[in-house]
Amino acid sequence: TLTEEQVADMMEAMTAVNAIGGVGTTQMTVVNVSQTGDCPNGGTYTVSGSVNDNSGSGSATIHVTQGFNDCKATSKKGRVWTFNGMPNIATNISMTANQQTQAFSITGTQVGGITFSSDLGSGSCGINLAISLSGDADSFEGSINGTACGHTIQQSMSVAP
């Protein structure tokens, strides 16, 4: 079992692997993504999914699945982590925006898991998170709730004028 600090260290290393390109801004854009790439210290990752952007109605959805195959990445502390899918991590996000009022809302989930190893040992890590953000040009509030690697995650954030 990893401590919260060790989970944060591992998640930081995973961010070195995550990359999703930009999306065009035509009235209705559908982009399908399927990519396999090399991890920073060996192994591979996969990203597949779709982005449906309907700027005419002010809405978009993103569905992305990430997989890992002996994917090695180093955290800022210098620890090398190796990741494999359990079987993968699926992220689903829905967004709406009003161009006139600049009001927006974003909801999403991130569900799945990985297996990991480092000099700390090896194990598996389940992820089940819900994400919610809403606001406008002057303020926003949001939350991330759920579990990651056996730890309860409950984070709230807000910015007010």
Side-chain angles (χ1 to χ4, degrees):
T1 301
L2 299 175
T3 66
E4 286 187 44
E5 181 180 338
Q6 292 165 339
V7 170
D9 187 68
M10 181 180 69
M11 294 300 185
E12 178 185 289
M14 283 183 67
T15 62
V17 179
N18 296 331
I20 299 173
V23 177
T25 57
T26 60
Q27 279 296 90
M28 177 63 166
T29 304
V30 176
V31 176
N32 291 312
V33 176
S34 182
Q35 175 181 343
T36 298
D38 295 327
C39 294
N41 298 82
T44 59
Y45 69 90
T46 59
V47 177
S48 62
S50 63
V51 177
N52 296 310
D53 180 11
N54 188 344
S55 59
S57 71
S59 65
T61 58
I62 301 170
H63 306 284
V64 177
T65 302
Q66 297 170 275
F68 305 94
N69 184 26
D70 289 329
C71 178
K72 294 175 180 63
T74 305
S75 69
K76 289 181 184 174
K77 291 184 177 184
R79 178 170 288 121
V80 176
W81 292 88
T82 301
F83 306 110
N84 283 288
M86 188 182 93
N88 53 47
I89 299 172
T91 303
N92 293 295
I93 297 174
S94 296
M95 301 178 280
T96 60
N98 183 308
Q99 296 289 333
Q100 287 73 34
T101 66
Q102 297 183 4
F104 69 90
S105 69
I106 301 170
T107 58
T109 59
Q110 191 168 50
V111 178
I114 57 166
T115 59
F116 63 85
S117 63
S118 74
D119 62 342
L120 297 171
S122 62
S124 61
C125 177
I127 298 169
N128 188 352
L129 298 172
I131 303 157
S132 176
L133 295 168
S134 62
D136 56 33
D138 297 320
S139 64
F140 77 89
E141 60 183 27
S143 65
I144 299 173
N145 295 295
T147 58
C149 302
H151 295 277
T152 299
I153 309 293
Q154 292 182 322
Q155 295 182 344
S156 295
M157 62 202 100
S158 65
V159 173

